[in-house]
Amino acid sequence: MTEHRYVESLPDLISPDEYADHPDGALVRLRITVTGNGVEVLGDAMRPEHVEALLAAAGLRNIQQMLCG
């Protein structure tokens, strides 16, 4: 089962100046890092449901999220 935890901040992988280049909002960016504790997957998307679907399909056990807006 996946555990979701809200955090204050996460690094941005998409900058605001990229939004004009992707009017459909379909840009998703992932950063995969091997750490001493395993593999860390950081995702950012113009539309949260796109990155959420990718992370869910990957079967990750722990997902940190931040509230935007």
Short mmCIF file of all heavy atoms in Angstrom, two decimals:
data_model
loop_
_atom_site.label_atom_id
_atom_site.label_comp_id
_atom_site.label_asym_id
_atom_site.label_seq_id
_atom_site.Cartn_x
_atom_site.Cartn_y
_atom_site.Cartn_z
N MET A 1 0.84 -1.17 0.00
CA MET A 1 0.00 0.00 0.00
C MET A 1 0.89 1.25 0.00
O MET A 1 1.91 1.30 0.68
CB MET A 1 -0.91 -0.01 1.22
CG MET A 1 -1.83 1.16 1.28
SD MET A 1 -3.07 0.87 2.56
CE MET A 1 -3.84 2.42 2.54
N THR A 2 0.49 2.26 -0.72
CA THR A 2 1.26 3.49 -0.83
C THR A 2 0.89 4.45 0.29
O THR A 2 -0.28 4.68 0.57
CB THR A 2 1.00 4.17 -2.19
OG1 THR A 2 1.36 3.27 -3.23
CG2 THR A 2 1.81 5.44 -2.33
N GLU A 3 1.91 5.01 0.93
CA GLU A 3 1.71 6.01 1.97
C GLU A 3 2.00 7.39 1.36
O GLU A 3 3.07 7.61 0.80
CB GLU A 3 2.66 5.76 3.13
CG GLU A 3 2.60 6.83 4.19
CD GLU A 3 3.67 6.66 5.26
OE1 GLU A 3 4.12 5.52 5.47
OE2 GLU A 3 4.03 7.66 5.87
N HIS A 4 1.04 8.30 1.46
CA HIS A 4 1.21 9.68 0.98
C HIS A 4 1.45 10.58 2.18
O HIS A 4 0.74 10.50 3.18
CB HIS A 4 -0.05 10.15 0.24
CG HIS A 4 -0.27 9.45 -1.06
ND1 HIS A 4 0.11 9.99 -2.25
CD2 HIS A 4 -0.80 8.24 -1.34
CE1 HIS A 4 -0.20 9.15 -3.23
NE2 HIS A 4 -0.75 8.08 -2.69
N ARG A 5 2.47 11.43 2.06
CA ARG A 5 2.79 12.36 3.15
C ARG A 5 3.02 13.74 2.54
O ARG A 5 3.74 13.89 1.56
CB ARG A 5 4.05 11.90 3.87
CG ARG A 5 4.39 12.73 5.08
CD ARG A 5 5.46 12.07 5.94
NE ARG A 5 6.63 11.66 5.20
CZ ARG A 5 7.79 12.32 5.20
NH1 ARG A 5 7.94 13.42 5.90
NH2 ARG A 5 8.80 11.87 4.50
N TYR A 6 2.38 14.74 3.11
CA TYR A 6 2.55 16.11 2.64
C TYR A 6 3.77 16.73 3.28
O TYR A 6 4.00 16.57 4.48
CB TYR A 6 1.30 16.96 2.94
CG TYR A 6 0.13 16.54 2.09
CD1 TYR A 6 -0.90 15.78 2.63
CD2 TYR A 6 0.07 16.87 0.74
CE1 TYR A 6 -1.97 15.37 1.85
CE2 TYR A 6 -1.01 16.47 -0.04
CZ TYR A 6 -2.02 15.73 0.52
OH TYR A 6 -3.07 15.32 -0.26
N VAL A 7 4.57 17.43 2.46
CA VAL A 7 5.78 18.10 2.92
C VAL A 7 5.71 19.57 2.53
O VAL A 7 4.94 19.96 1.64
CB VAL A 7 7.04 17.44 2.35
CG1 VAL A 7 7.19 16.01 2.87
CG2 VAL A 7 7.04 17.44 0.83
N GLU A 8 6.52 20.40 3.19
CA GLU A 8 6.50 21.84 2.92
C GLU A 8 7.05 22.20 1.55
O GLU A 8 6.58 23.15 0.92
CB GLU A 8 7.28 22.60 4.00
CG GLU A 8 6.51 22.75 5.29
CD GLU A 8 7.20 23.71 6.23
OE1 GLU A 8 7.81 24.69 5.78
OE2 GLU A 8 7.11 23.46 7.44
N SER A 9 8.07 21.49 1.10
CA SER A 9 8.65 21.83 -0.19
C SER A 9 9.32 20.63 -0.83
O SER A 9 9.75 19.70 -0.15
CB SER A 9 9.66 22.98 -0.04
OG SER A 9 10.78 22.54 0.70
N LEU A 10 9.39 20.68 -2.14
CA LEU A 10 10.12 19.72 -2.98
C LEU A 10 10.78 20.53 -4.09
O LEU A 10 10.27 21.58 -4.48
CB LEU A 10 9.17 18.69 -3.59
CG LEU A 10 8.52 17.69 -2.62
CD1 LEU A 10 7.40 16.93 -3.31
CD2 LEU A 10 9.55 16.72 -2.08
N PRO A 11 11.91 20.06 -4.61
CA PRO A 11 12.57 20.81 -5.69
C PRO A 11 11.69 20.89 -6.93
O PRO A 11 10.98 19.95 -7.28
CB PRO A 11 13.82 19.99 -5.98
CG PRO A 11 14.02 19.12 -4.78
CD PRO A 11 12.66 18.88 -4.21
N ASP A 12 11.72 22.04 -7.59
CA ASP A 12 11.02 22.21 -8.86
C ASP A 12 11.87 21.66 -9.99
O ASP A 12 13.06 21.95 -10.09
CB ASP A 12 10.75 23.70 -9.14
CG ASP A 12 9.65 24.27 -8.27
OD1 ASP A 12 8.70 23.52 -7.96
OD2 ASP A 12 9.75 25.44 -7.90
N LEU A 13 11.26 20.88 -10.84
CA LEU A 13 11.94 20.38 -12.03
C LEU A 13 11.46 21.10 -13.29
O LEU A 13 12.05 20.94 -14.35
CB LEU A 13 11.71 18.87 -12.19
CG LEU A 13 12.20 17.99 -11.03
CD1 LEU A 13 11.89 16.53 -11.32
CD2 LEU A 13 13.68 18.19 -10.77
N ILE A 14 10.40 21.87 -13.15
CA ILE A 14 9.83 22.64 -14.26
C ILE A 14 9.81 24.09 -13.83
O ILE A 14 9.29 24.42 -12.76
CB ILE A 14 8.42 22.16 -14.62
CG1 ILE A 14 8.45 20.69 -15.07
CG2 ILE A 14 7.80 23.05 -15.70
CD1 ILE A 14 7.08 20.08 -15.30
N SER A 15 10.35 24.97 -14.66
CA SER A 15 10.36 26.39 -14.31
C SER A 15 9.17 27.10 -14.97
O SER A 15 8.67 26.66 -16.01
CB SER A 15 11.67 27.04 -14.74
OG SER A 15 11.80 27.00 -16.14
N PRO A 16 8.73 28.21 -14.38
CA PRO A 16 7.57 28.93 -14.90
C PRO A 16 7.72 29.37 -16.36
O PRO A 16 6.74 29.41 -17.09
CB PRO A 16 7.46 30.14 -13.98
CG PRO A 16 8.09 29.70 -12.71
CD PRO A 16 9.21 28.78 -13.12
N ASP A 17 8.94 29.64 -16.80
CA ASP A 17 9.11 30.08 -18.19
C ASP A 17 8.89 28.96 -19.21
O ASP A 17 8.79 29.21 -20.40
CB ASP A 17 10.48 30.73 -18.39
CG ASP A 17 11.64 29.82 -18.08
OD1 ASP A 17 11.51 28.95 -17.19
OD2 ASP A 17 12.70 29.97 -18.72
N GLU A 18 8.76 27.72 -18.77
CA GLU A 18 8.50 26.60 -19.67
C GLU A 18 7.01 26.44 -19.99
O GLU A 18 6.65 25.75 -20.95
CB GLU A 18 9.03 25.30 -19.08
CG GLU A 18 10.54 25.27 -18.95
CD GLU A 18 11.02 23.97 -18.38
OE1 GLU A 18 11.29 23.04 -19.17
OE2 GLU A 18 11.12 23.88 -17.13
N TYR A 19 6.15 27.05 -19.20
CA TYR A 19 4.71 26.87 -19.38
C TYR A 19 4.23 27.33 -20.75
O TYR A 19 3.38 26.69 -21.37
CB TYR A 19 3.94 27.57 -18.26
CG TYR A 19 3.90 26.77 -16.98
CD1 TYR A 19 5.04 26.55 -16.23
CD2 TYR A 19 2.72 26.21 -16.53
CE1 TYR A 19 5.01 25.80 -15.06
CE2 TYR A 19 2.66 25.46 -15.37
CZ TYR A 19 3.82 25.26 -14.64
OH TYR A 19 3.77 24.51 -13.49
N ALA A 20 4.75 28.42 -21.25
CA ALA A 20 4.32 28.93 -22.55
C ALA A 20 4.66 27.97 -23.68
O ALA A 20 3.96 27.91 -24.70
CB ALA A 20 4.95 30.28 -22.81
N ASP A 21 5.72 27.18 -23.51
CA ASP A 21 6.13 26.21 -24.54
C ASP A 21 5.28 24.95 -24.54
O ASP A 21 5.41 24.11 -25.43
CB ASP A 21 7.60 25.82 -24.34
CG ASP A 21 8.54 26.99 -24.53
OD1 ASP A 21 8.20 27.92 -25.29
OD2 ASP A 21 9.63 26.98 -23.91
N HIS A 22 4.44 24.79 -23.53
CA HIS A 22 3.63 23.57 -23.38
C HIS A 22 2.19 23.95 -23.04
O HIS A 22 1.70 23.66 -21.94
CB HIS A 22 4.23 22.67 -22.30
CG HIS A 22 5.63 22.28 -22.57
ND1 HIS A 22 5.97 21.25 -23.40
CD2 HIS A 22 6.80 22.84 -22.16
CE1 HIS A 22 7.29 21.16 -23.47
NE2 HIS A 22 7.82 22.13 -22.73
N PRO A 23 1.47 24.59 -23.98
CA PRO A 23 0.12 25.06 -23.68
C PRO A 23 -0.87 23.94 -23.35
O PRO A 23 -1.88 24.18 -22.70
CB PRO A 23 -0.29 25.80 -24.96
CG PRO A 23 0.60 25.28 -26.02
CD PRO A 23 1.88 24.88 -25.35
N ASP A 24 -0.56 22.71 -23.77
CA ASP A 24 -1.45 21.59 -23.44
C ASP A 24 -1.23 21.08 -22.01
O ASP A 24 -1.98 20.26 -21.51
CB ASP A 24 -1.27 20.45 -24.44
CG ASP A 24 0.14 19.90 -24.48
OD1 ASP A 24 1.06 20.50 -23.86
OD2 ASP A 24 0.36 18.86 -25.13
N GLY A 25 -0.16 21.56 -21.35
CA GLY A 25 0.11 21.18 -19.96
C GLY A 25 0.59 19.77 -19.78
O GLY A 25 0.52 19.22 -18.68
N ALA A 26 1.12 19.16 -20.83
CA ALA A 26 1.49 17.75 -20.76
C ALA A 26 2.95 17.50 -20.36
O ALA A 26 3.39 16.36 -20.39
CB ALA A 26 1.20 17.05 -22.09
N LEU A 27 3.68 18.53 -19.99
CA LEU A 27 5.08 18.34 -19.62
C LEU A 27 5.19 17.65 -18.27
O LEU A 27 4.59 18.07 -17.28
CB LEU A 27 5.81 19.69 -19.58
CG LEU A 27 7.29 19.63 -19.20
CD1 LEU A 27 8.08 18.82 -20.24
CD2 LEU A 27 7.86 21.03 -19.07
N VAL A 28 5.97 16.56 -18.23
CA VAL A 28 6.28 15.83 -17.00
C VAL A 28 7.79 15.63 -16.99
O VAL A 28 8.38 15.29 -18.02
CB VAL A 28 5.58 14.45 -16.97
CG1 VAL A 28 6.02 13.65 -15.74
CG2 VAL A 28 4.08 14.60 -17.00
N ARG A 29 8.39 15.86 -15.85
CA ARG A 29 9.83 15.66 -15.74
C ARG A 29 10.10 14.81 -14.50
O ARG A 29 9.51 15.03 -13.44
CB ARG A 29 10.51 17.02 -15.62
CG ARG A 29 12.00 16.95 -15.85
CD ARG A 29 12.59 18.32 -16.14
NE ARG A 29 12.33 18.66 -17.53
CZ ARG A 29 12.08 19.89 -17.97
NH1 ARG A 29 12.04 20.90 -17.13
NH2 ARG A 29 11.87 20.12 -19.24
N LEU A 30 11.00 13.82 -14.65
CA LEU A 30 11.39 12.94 -13.55
C LEU A 30 12.89 13.02 -13.33
O LEU A 30 13.66 13.19 -14.29
CB LEU A 30 11.04 11.49 -13.85
CG LEU A 30 9.57 11.14 -14.03
CD1 LEU A 30 9.42 9.70 -14.46
CD2 LEU A 30 8.79 11.40 -12.76
N ARG A 31 13.30 12.89 -12.08
CA ARG A 31 14.72 12.76 -11.73
C ARG A 31 14.84 11.52 -10.87
O ARG A 31 14.19 11.41 -9.83
CB ARG A 31 15.22 13.99 -10.98
CG ARG A 31 16.72 13.89 -10.64
CD ARG A 31 17.26 15.17 -10.07
NE ARG A 31 16.74 15.34 -8.71
CZ ARG A 31 16.74 16.49 -8.06
NH1 ARG A 31 17.19 17.59 -8.63
NH2 ARG A 31 16.27 16.55 -6.84
N ILE A 32 15.67 10.58 -11.30
CA ILE A 32 15.86 9.32 -10.58
C ILE A 32 17.28 9.31 -10.02
O ILE A 32 18.24 9.49 -10.77
CB ILE A 32 15.62 8.11 -11.51
CG1 ILE A 32 14.19 8.18 -12.08
CG2 ILE A 32 15.86 6.80 -10.77
CD1 ILE A 32 13.90 7.20 -13.18
N THR A 33 17.39 9.10 -8.70
CA THR A 33 18.68 9.13 -8.02
C THR A 33 18.83 7.88 -7.17
O THR A 33 17.90 7.48 -6.47
CB THR A 33 18.76 10.37 -7.10
OG1 THR A 33 18.45 11.54 -7.85
CG2 THR A 33 20.13 10.52 -6.48
N VAL A 34 20.02 7.28 -7.23
CA VAL A 34 20.33 6.15 -6.36
C VAL A 34 20.99 6.73 -5.11
O VAL A 34 21.97 7.47 -5.21
CB VAL A 34 21.26 5.15 -7.05
CG1 VAL A 34 21.63 4.02 -6.10
CG2 VAL A 34 20.61 4.59 -8.31
N THR A 35 20.41 6.42 -3.94
CA THR A 35 20.94 6.92 -2.67
C THR A 35 21.37 5.74 -1.80
O THR A 35 21.16 4.57 -2.18
CB THR A 35 19.87 7.74 -1.92
OG1 THR A 35 18.86 6.84 -1.44
CG2 THR A 35 19.25 8.81 -2.79
N GLY A 36 21.90 6.04 -0.65
CA GLY A 36 22.27 4.99 0.30
C GLY A 36 21.08 4.23 0.82
O GLY A 36 21.21 3.12 1.33
N ASN A 37 19.87 4.81 0.69
CA ASN A 37 18.64 4.17 1.17
C ASN A 37 17.85 3.50 0.07
O ASN A 37 16.78 2.97 0.32
CB ASN A 37 17.75 5.21 1.87
CG ASN A 37 18.39 5.75 3.12
OD1 ASN A 37 19.07 5.01 3.83
ND2 ASN A 37 18.19 7.01 3.39
N GLY A 38 18.31 3.58 -1.16
CA GLY A 38 17.57 2.99 -2.27
C GLY A 38 17.48 3.96 -3.44
O GLY A 38 18.38 4.75 -3.67
N VAL A 39 16.38 3.93 -4.13
CA VAL A 39 16.16 4.78 -5.29
C VAL A 39 15.14 5.85 -4.95
O VAL A 39 14.09 5.57 -4.41
CB VAL A 39 15.66 3.94 -6.51
CG1 VAL A 39 15.37 4.82 -7.70
CG2 VAL A 39 16.70 2.88 -6.87
N GLU A 40 15.48 7.09 -5.29
CA GLU A 40 14.57 8.22 -5.08
C GLU A 40 14.08 8.70 -6.44
O GLU A 40 14.86 8.89 -7.36
CB GLU A 40 15.32 9.36 -4.39
CG GLU A 40 14.51 10.61 -4.20
CD GLU A 40 15.35 11.71 -3.57
OE1 GLU A 40 15.52 11.69 -2.35
OE2 GLU A 40 15.83 12.59 -4.32
N VAL A 41 12.77 8.84 -6.57
CA VAL A 41 12.17 9.34 -7.81
C VAL A 41 11.48 10.65 -7.48
O VAL A 41 10.57 10.70 -6.66
CB VAL A 41 11.13 8.34 -8.38
CG1 VAL A 41 10.50 8.90 -9.65
CG2 VAL A 41 11.77 6.98 -8.63
N LEU A 42 11.95 11.72 -8.12
CA LEU A 42 11.35 13.04 -7.94
C LEU A 42 10.62 13.36 -9.22
O LEU A 42 11.17 13.23 -10.32
CB LEU A 42 12.43 14.09 -7.66
CG LEU A 42 11.95 15.52 -7.50
CD1 LEU A 42 11.07 15.65 -6.25
CD2 LEU A 42 13.13 16.47 -7.42
N GLY A 43 9.36 13.74 -9.11
CA GLY A 43 8.56 14.06 -10.29
C GLY A 43 7.94 15.43 -10.19
O GLY A 43 7.61 15.90 -9.10
N ASP A 44 7.80 16.07 -11.33
CA ASP A 44 7.15 17.37 -11.41
C ASP A 44 6.35 17.38 -12.71
O ASP A 44 6.76 16.80 -13.70
CB ASP A 44 8.19 18.49 -11.42
CG ASP A 44 7.62 19.87 -11.12
OD1 ASP A 44 6.40 19.98 -10.93
OD2 ASP A 44 8.41 20.83 -11.08
N ALA A 45 5.19 18.00 -12.67
CA ALA A 45 4.34 18.05 -13.86
C ALA A 45 3.50 19.31 -13.83
O ALA A 45 3.19 19.83 -12.76
CB ALA A 45 3.43 16.83 -13.93
N MET A 46 3.15 19.77 -14.99
CA MET A 46 2.27 20.93 -15.08
C MET A 46 0.88 20.59 -14.57
O MET A 46 0.20 21.43 -13.99
CB MET A 46 2.20 21.43 -16.51
CG MET A 46 3.52 21.97 -17.01
SD MET A 46 3.39 22.39 -18.73
CE MET A 46 4.49 23.78 -18.78
N ARG A 47 0.49 19.37 -14.77
CA ARG A 47 -0.79 18.87 -14.26
C ARG A 47 -0.50 17.72 -13.31
O ARG A 47 0.00 16.67 -13.71
CB ARG A 47 -1.68 18.42 -15.42
CG ARG A 47 -1.98 19.58 -16.35
CD ARG A 47 -3.30 19.43 -17.03
NE ARG A 47 -3.63 20.67 -17.68
CZ ARG A 47 -3.96 20.78 -18.95
NH1 ARG A 47 -4.03 19.70 -19.70
NH2 ARG A 47 -4.25 21.95 -19.46
N PRO A 48 -0.77 17.89 -12.03
CA PRO A 48 -0.40 16.90 -11.02
C PRO A 48 -0.87 15.48 -11.32
O PRO A 48 -0.18 14.52 -11.02
CB PRO A 48 -1.04 17.43 -9.73
CG PRO A 48 -1.23 18.88 -9.96
CD PRO A 48 -1.45 19.04 -11.43
N GLU A 49 -2.04 15.34 -11.93
CA GLU A 49 -2.55 14.00 -12.19
C GLU A 49 -1.63 13.19 -13.10
O GLU A 49 -1.60 11.96 -13.03
CB GLU A 49 -3.98 14.04 -12.74
CG GLU A 49 -4.13 14.72 -14.08
CD GLU A 49 -4.38 16.22 -14.02
OE1 GLU A 49 -4.19 16.84 -12.96
OE2 GLU A 49 -4.77 16.78 -15.05
N HIS A 50 -0.85 13.87 -13.95
CA HIS A 50 0.07 13.16 -14.84
C HIS A 50 1.21 12.51 -14.07
O HIS A 50 1.53 11.34 -14.27
CB HIS A 50 0.62 14.10 -15.91
CG HIS A 50 -0.40 14.57 -16.88
ND1 HIS A 50 -0.26 15.73 -17.59
CD2 HIS A 50 -1.58 14.06 -17.28
CE1 HIS A 50 -1.30 15.91 -18.37
NE2 HIS A 50 -2.13 14.90 -18.19
N VAL A 51 1.84 13.25 -13.17
CA VAL A 51 2.95 12.68 -12.40
C VAL A 51 2.42 11.69 -11.36
O VAL A 51 3.06 10.67 -11.09
CB VAL A 51 3.85 13.77 -11.78
CG1 VAL A 51 3.19 14.44 -10.60
CG2 VAL A 51 5.19 13.19 -11.39
N GLU A 52 1.26 11.94 -10.80
CA GLU A 52 0.68 11.01 -9.84
C GLU A 52 0.41 9.65 -10.47
O GLU A 52 0.65 8.61 -9.85
CB GLU A 52 -0.60 11.59 -9.25
CG GLU A 52 -0.35 12.74 -8.30
CD GLU A 52 -1.61 13.49 -7.91
OE1 GLU A 52 -2.72 13.07 -8.29
OE2 GLU A 52 -1.48 14.51 -7.19
N ALA A 53 -0.05 9.64 -11.71
CA ALA A 53 -0.31 8.37 -12.41
C ALA A 53 0.99 7.61 -12.64
O ALA A 53 1.04 6.38 -12.48
CB ALA A 53 -1.02 8.64 -13.73
N LEU A 54 2.05 8.30 -12.99
CA LEU A 54 3.35 7.65 -13.20
C LEU A 54 3.88 7.04 -11.90
O LEU A 54 4.36 5.91 -11.89
CB LEU A 54 4.36 8.65 -13.75
CG LEU A 54 4.23 9.02 -15.21
CD1 LEU A 54 5.16 10.17 -15.55
CD2 LEU A 54 4.55 7.82 -16.09
N LEU A 55 3.81 7.81 -10.83
CA LEU A 55 4.32 7.31 -9.55
C LEU A 55 3.50 6.13 -9.04
O LEU A 55 4.04 5.17 -8.51
CB LEU A 55 4.34 8.44 -8.52
CG LEU A 55 5.29 9.61 -8.85
CD1 LEU A 55 5.14 10.71 -7.80
CD2 LEU A 55 6.72 9.16 -8.97
N ALA A 56 2.20 6.18 -9.23
CA ALA A 56 1.34 5.07 -8.82
C ALA A 56 1.65 3.82 -9.64
O ALA A 56 1.72 2.71 -9.10
CB ALA A 56 -0.13 5.45 -8.97
N ALA A 57 1.87 3.99 -10.94
CA ALA A 57 2.17 2.84 -11.80
C ALA A 57 3.52 2.22 -11.45
O ALA A 57 3.73 1.03 -11.66
CB ALA A 57 2.15 3.27 -13.27
N ALA A 58 4.43 3.03 -10.89
CA ALA A 58 5.74 2.52 -10.50
C ALA A 58 5.67 1.68 -9.23
O ALA A 58 6.63 1.00 -8.88
CB ALA A 58 6.71 3.68 -10.31
N GLY A 59 4.54 1.73 -8.52
CA GLY A 59 4.37 0.93 -7.32
C GLY A 59 5.18 1.42 -6.13
O GLY A 59 5.59 0.62 -5.29
N LEU A 60 5.41 2.72 -6.06
CA LEU A 60 6.20 3.27 -4.96
C LEU A 60 5.45 3.14 -3.64
O LEU A 60 4.23 3.28 -3.58
CB LEU A 60 6.52 4.75 -5.23
CG LEU A 60 7.29 5.00 -6.53
CD1 LEU A 60 7.47 6.48 -6.74
CD2 LEU A 60 8.64 4.31 -6.49
N ARG A 61 6.18 2.86 -2.58
CA ARG A 61 5.57 2.66 -1.26
C ARG A 61 5.36 3.96 -0.51
O ARG A 61 4.43 4.09 0.26
CB ARG A 61 6.41 1.70 -0.43
CG ARG A 61 6.34 0.27 -0.92
CD ARG A 61 7.13 -0.63 -0.06
NE ARG A 61 8.52 -0.48 -0.51
CZ ARG A 61 9.57 -1.01 0.07
NH1 ARG A 61 9.42 -1.70 1.16
NH2 ARG A 61 10.78 -0.85 -0.40
N ASN A 62 6.24 4.92 -0.70
CA ASN A 62 6.17 6.19 0.02
C ASN A 62 6.20 7.33 -0.99
O ASN A 62 7.14 7.43 -1.78
CB ASN A 62 7.33 6.36 1.00
CG ASN A 62 7.34 5.29 2.05
OD1 ASN A 62 6.39 5.17 2.80
ND2 ASN A 62 8.38 4.48 2.08
N ILE A 63 5.20 8.18 -0.95
CA ILE A 63 5.15 9.33 -1.85
C ILE A 63 4.98 10.60 -1.01
O ILE A 63 4.07 10.69 -0.20
CB ILE A 63 3.99 9.21 -2.87
CG1 ILE A 63 4.23 8.01 -3.78
CG2 ILE A 63 3.84 10.50 -3.69
CD1 ILE A 63 3.12 7.77 -4.79
N GLN A 64 5.91 11.53 -1.21
CA GLN A 64 5.82 12.83 -0.57
C GLN A 64 5.19 13.80 -1.58
O GLN A 64 5.55 13.78 -2.75
CB GLN A 64 7.19 13.35 -0.15
CG GLN A 64 7.83 12.50 0.91
CD GLN A 64 9.21 13.02 1.27
OE1 GLN A 64 9.81 13.81 0.57
NE2 GLN A 64 9.72 12.57 2.40
N GLN A 65 4.27 14.62 -1.11
CA GLN A 65 3.60 15.58 -1.96
C GLN A 65 3.61 16.92 -1.27
O GLN A 65 3.67 17.00 -0.04
CB GLN A 65 2.13 15.19 -2.16
CG GLN A 65 1.91 13.92 -2.90
CD GLN A 65 0.43 13.59 -2.97
OE1 GLN A 65 -0.03 12.76 -2.22
NE2 GLN A 65 -0.30 14.26 -3.84
N MET A 66 3.50 17.98 -2.07
CA MET A 66 3.30 19.30 -1.49
C MET A 66 2.07 19.92 -2.10
O MET A 66 1.69 19.60 -3.23
CB MET A 66 4.52 20.19 -1.66
CG MET A 66 4.92 20.49 -3.08
SD MET A 66 6.36 21.54 -3.17
CE MET A 66 5.60 23.13 -3.29
N LEU A 67 1.41 20.73 -1.33
CA LEU A 67 0.23 21.44 -1.79
C LEU A 67 0.69 22.73 -2.46
O LEU A 67 1.49 23.47 -1.91
CB LEU A 67 -0.71 21.75 -0.64
CG LEU A 67 -1.27 20.52 0.07
CD1 LEU A 67 -2.07 20.94 1.30
CD2 LEU A 67 -2.13 19.70 -0.86
N CYS A 68 0.21 22.96 -3.66
CA CYS A 68 0.59 24.17 -4.41
C CYS A 68 -0.58 25.12 -4.44
O CYS A 68 -1.72 24.73 -4.35
CB CYS A 68 0.99 23.80 -5.83
SG CYS A 68 2.38 22.68 -5.90
N GLY A 69 -0.25 26.37 -4.70
CA GLY A 69 -1.31 27.32 -4.91
C GLY A 69 -1.35 28.36 -3.96
O GLY A 69 -1.35 29.15 -3.30
#
